[in-house]
Each structure stands twice: as structure tokens, then as C-alpha cells.
Amino acid sequence: MNRTQTIRPVAIVGASRIPFCRTGTGYADLTNLDMLVSALQGLVDKYNLHGMQLDEVVAGAVSNHPKDFNLAREALLGTSLSPLTPGISLQQACGTSLQAAFGIAAKIACGQIECGIAAGADSASDAPILFSRRFSQRLIQLSKAKTPRQKLAALKGFSPSELSPVAPAIAEPRTELSMGEHAELMARQWQIGRAEQDELALASHQRAQAAYSACFYDDLLSPCAGMLRDNNLRYDLSLEQLSKLKPAFDRSDAGTLTAGNSTPLTDGAATLLLASEEWATAHNLPVLARLTHMETAAVDHVGGEGLLMAPTVAVANMLRKAGLSLQDFSHYEIHEAFAAQVLCTLKAWESVDYCRERLGLNGPLGSIDRSKLNTMGSSLALGHPFAATGARIAGTLAKLLNEAGQGRGLISICTAGGMGVAAILEK
């Protein structure tokens, strides 16, 4: 690239996803690849990309099978996109598809490429189940054995216990605590009570229900396996029902996180089409919004920081670089991994001490207008297929901004491993 070349605007020109389903329900028989193919084909159909050679498709999944060699490439080959389109797989836990969008956007901005699709898929219904390491080593040894003696040697000392499957771990490798257990610690540190968590969860369901009633999601969804809508959404939910649920992670009287104010294990896939404005115009596609700022951050969760607090850092750094305040937004999309996580994030931004000591600011970032938060519902109501959530949120926000005709939206997503990703979309 010529060093004097102007950085180009990056447009979000399309979004499509399949409905999200609770694990073991609508997509129980589908794989990550099946769902990602379906979501990509939905985008292709919606924007008439049949036979088109795109510059790249970047996608990933958190629950990966060894058989899914380059998931992104194999998925696009299952669609009617040109097979000349490159496919790149990546993974950053719950930030996967938004991080995929960041990479595509950076290449568009500097003129290296003109367009690309960011996507993510995850199936908890088809989680990889592994053999023990000892038995896996035996199988490798057996595959290399050429004589009966060598085969017997490979089986020497075999115990049936080696056949016990190793279930996928949900715990953080460094702390051996689940994400929910970490969120409980955060709720305790920030004094986030059960009642306010339940209230946020109820609001998510009510807003998602209202969005469906207004047909907001109709053109963002592509049917898959007979599913037409997200099936986690509860239309008859009440605070009374939520209050009766038992704690799910800390089962003592001190526990505040429940199945109702935490996201369920979910299957699904989502896509996002990004391009230069010139490419969008040439292909008669709308500029729904522009992706103007991107940020990634991490916290020391092993050393005691809250596992899901990295978005507070990412957002603060991004606002500083953008020259904006936290109040300069018409929409806020904060991923609802847990209601407690959202509330901890908001409280941290309001804290003088936290913003000064951890974020290096002179004062607090301040409060936001809660009426602008997750206005179409979010992960607590719609579900959370880990790698798909970023594309789902960005697609929703781009549509909101396009319908409004103007505005600025903030995206904040926490991820496993003590990381966070944030972005700004503008219209």
C-alpha cells in the first residue's frame, strides 16, 4: 500500500443468521459445518452473491472438532459462492466473529481487499468428545504397527478405563473455575444482587419479544432445519418465575446466578458482509453502517481480576482513541453472557476508583441511558452460540442504525480467557 493512501471507510452491507436454538433441540443433529453453511448460504441468497468470488471468508467456532479442517473454507465450499474465494479460520472465544470482522475491516481500510464475510458457528449439541490421551497414543502406535508383535506391544497394559471419554471442559484452564463461577465472584465484588440480574434478564426477553412482534428480525434470519425463530425466547416470562429459580453455580444462599439470568448453551451461526463503499455501490448493496473503531483487550483473571471485565478496558481505550465519551451513543449493545456481567461492566464505568486506578482515567466514564441498551433483546433472550454472537450483534446494530438513518452504536463483548472486544458502528 502507498504510505500516503487515505484510510478508506469500511461498510457493513449485509447480515444474516440462522435462528439460535437451545442445545439438544432444533439443531441436535447438525454440526458446526452444517450450521455455518446454512448461515452463509442465507447471506448469499439474500444479497445475490451466487457464483461471486469474494476476497475472503473469515470464520470460526469455539467447540471445534479435529475433523473440521479449516472450517471457514469447507463451509464456503458448501455454498454457491465461487470456490475461488479463500477461507480463513480463527478463534477468540465469544469474540470470534467480531474479531473476524476486525481483520477484514483492516484490510478493506488499507485497500488490500474490497470485501469479505465474517462469521461464526457453534454447536454445544455436537461437542467434541475425546478418548484419553493414553488410549489415543495406543491408536497412533497401532496405526504404525506392521507386525503382530508390534500390534501386541501397542496393546500391552491396556485397561478398559482408557476408553472413558473425556468430556469437553467448560472451566477456565488456568483457574479451573467455570465462567459462571467467575461471574459469581464478579457479582460479589461489585455487589450486584439477584433482583437486578433478574430484572435485566426479563427486559432482554421483553425487548426481544417486542422486536419479533415488530418483524425486526424477519430479514436478519434465514430458516434452518425447519427453525424460523430463536427458541430460547420466553414470551410468558415474569420476575416471579425468575425469582423461583435456584442458583446454578454457587448453590449456597449467597449464589445469585441462575439459569434464568445466564445465557443457555446454544447452537447457531451468524454472518456479516463487509466491503468498501465503492464495492457496495458497484454491486448495488446498501451501506447499513460503517465500522469505524475496533479494540481488543485482556485482563489478568489468573491474578485476580474479573474474568469478564476486559470489555471495560477495551471500551475505555477505544473511546480515548476515538475522542468520544461513553454518552456519545444512540445505541449500546453489551453482550449478555450473564446479567451480572453487564451490570458489573456498567458499575465499573460509573466507579471513580476503578476508572482512575484500572483504566487510567481522570474520572469515571459515567452512566448510560438504559433505554438505549440492547433494545432488541440480546443473548439472555436470543441465545449465545459462542463464536456467532459478535456477528449477530453487529448485524443487529447495523440494521438499527440504518433504520434510524443516523446514529452511533457501541458494541462490547466479553470472552473466555479474560479478553474483551469492542467496536463502534456509525451511520
Side-chain angles (χ1 to χ4, degrees):
M1 184 187 81
N2 187 323
R3 292 183 182 275
T4 62
Q5 182 174 333
T6 302
I7 296 297
R8 302 187 301 174
V10 177
I12 294 177
V13 299
S16 184
R17 67 180 178 90
I18 61 174
F20 292 170
C21 291
R22 276 179 171 263
T23 295
T25 60
Y27 303 147
D29 296 326
L30 302 187
T31 65
N32 285 336
L33 182 60
D34 295 330
M35 293 187 299
L36 187 53
V37 168
S38 183
L40 284 170
Q41 189 61 52
L43 188 76
V44 170
D45 293 341
K46 181 176 177 181
Y47 296 100
N48 194 27
L49 305 177
H50 303 284
M52 194 174 295
Q53 179 182 342
L54 303 185
D55 290 324
E56 59 187 37
V57 172
V58 185
V62 176
S63 298
N64 272 307
H65 281 269
K67 63 181 174 59
D68 287 334
F69 174 74
N70 197 347
L71 180 66
R73 173 64 175 166
E74 292 304 313
L76 77 88
L77 288 174
T79 72
S80 58
L81 281 172
S82 167
L84 302 182
T85 301
I88 303 165
S89 295
L90 63 75
Q91 196 258 71
Q92 194 192 12
C94 309
T96 295
S97 52
L98 190 59
Q99 191 63 246
F102 290 177
I104 293 169
K107 292 179 182 179
I108 292 171
C110 70
Q112 183 178 352
I113 65 174
E114 294 298 319
C115 63
I117 296 174
D122 256 299
S123 170
S125 297
D126 186 39
I129 305 296
L130 307 177
F131 285 117
S132 68
R133 179 172 176 79
R134 182 71 188 98
F135 187 67
S136 297
Q137 290 172 331
R138 286 190 191 279
L139 292 177
I140 294 172
Q141 191 176 350
L142 273 171
S143 70
K144 295 179 179 179
K146 296 181 179 179
T147 68
R149 183 184 294 273
Q150 290 172 334
K151 292 178 181 179
L152 286 173
L155 294 171
K156 185 179 179 179
F158 169 75
S159 168
S161 63
E162 295 177 17
L163 294 173
S164 298
V166 180
I170 300 177
E172 285 288 320
R174 299 284 177 171
T175 65
E176 298 185 347
L177 296 176
S178 70
M179 191 174 288
E181 289 171 324
H182 273 285
E184 276 282 15
L185 294 176
M186 289 165 47
R188 195 171 304 155
Q189 176 188 355
W190 289 97
Q191 298 181 333
I192 304 297
R194 165 75 180 270
E196 53 186 320
Q197 294 178 48
D198 288 347
E199 288 170 1
L200 191 144
L202 179 62
S204 184
H205 282 267
Q206 290 176 334
R207 289 174 174 178
Q209 179 180 348
Y212 266 112
S213 297
C215 301
F216 176 83
Y217 285 116
D218 286 4
D219 65 347
L220 288 174
L221 292 170
S222 299
C224 178
M227 301 303 301
L228 303 177
R229 287 190 169 198
D230 307 300
N231 73 1
N232 181 64
L233 180 58
R234 295 295 176 263
Y235 290 86
D236 57 351
L237 193 62
S238 68
L239 279 178
E240 182 181 6
Q241 290 172 315
L242 286 168
S243 68
K244 292 179 180 179
L245 296 175
K246 295 180 179 180
F249 303 101
D250 178 353
R251 299 183 184 277
S252 71
D253 292 339
T256 60
L257 275 73
T258 70
N261 58 39
S262 308
T263 50
L265 289 173
T266 316
D267 305 335
T271 65
L272 193 69
L273 178 60
L274 302 101
S276 67
E277 294 188 355
E278 294 82 3
W279 189 91
T281 299
H283 292 83
N284 197 30
L285 292 173
V287 175
L288 302 176
R290 294 172 182 84
L291 175 55
T292 58
H293 294 83
M294 308 167 282
E295 193 76 26
T296 306
V299 294
D300 183 9
H301 67 290
V302 181
E305 287 194 270
L307 175 73
L308 306 178
M309 295 300 288
T312 64
V313 182
V315 168
N317 291 342
M318 184 174 64
L319 292 177
R320 175 177 53 80
K321 294 173 184 177
L324 296 170
S325 74
L326 185 59
Q327 292 70 40
D328 290 336
F329 295 88
S330 54
H331 299 82
Y332 300 87
E333 290 288 335
I334 302 179
H335 163 47
E336 298 168 345
F338 305 90
Q341 187 277 330
V342 177
L343 295 167
C344 287
T345 294
L346 295 176
K347 200 164 185 179
W349 287 335
E350 295 168 353
S351 168
V352 174
D353 292 341
Y354 184 84
C355 288
R356 180 181 295 130
E357 296 169 11
R358 180 59 182 87
L359 303 182
L361 303 174
N362 293 326
L365 286 173
S367 303
I368 68 168
D369 182 345
R370 294 283 190 93
S371 69
K372 300 176 181 178
L373 172 64
N374 298 343
T375 56
M376 298 294 119
S378 194
S379 306
L380 287 169
L382 303 175
H384 173 38
F386 307 124
T389 287
R392 191 270 300 169
I393 288 176
T396 296
L397 180 55
K399 179 177 178 180
L400 280 169
L401 292 171
N402 185 57
E403 288 186 346
Q406 62 179 2
R408 181 185 291 124
L410 174 71
I411 296 174
S412 169
I413 298 177
C414 60
T415 88
M419 298 180 288
V421 289
I424 296 173
L425 269 58
E426 300 186 44
K427 178 69 175 183

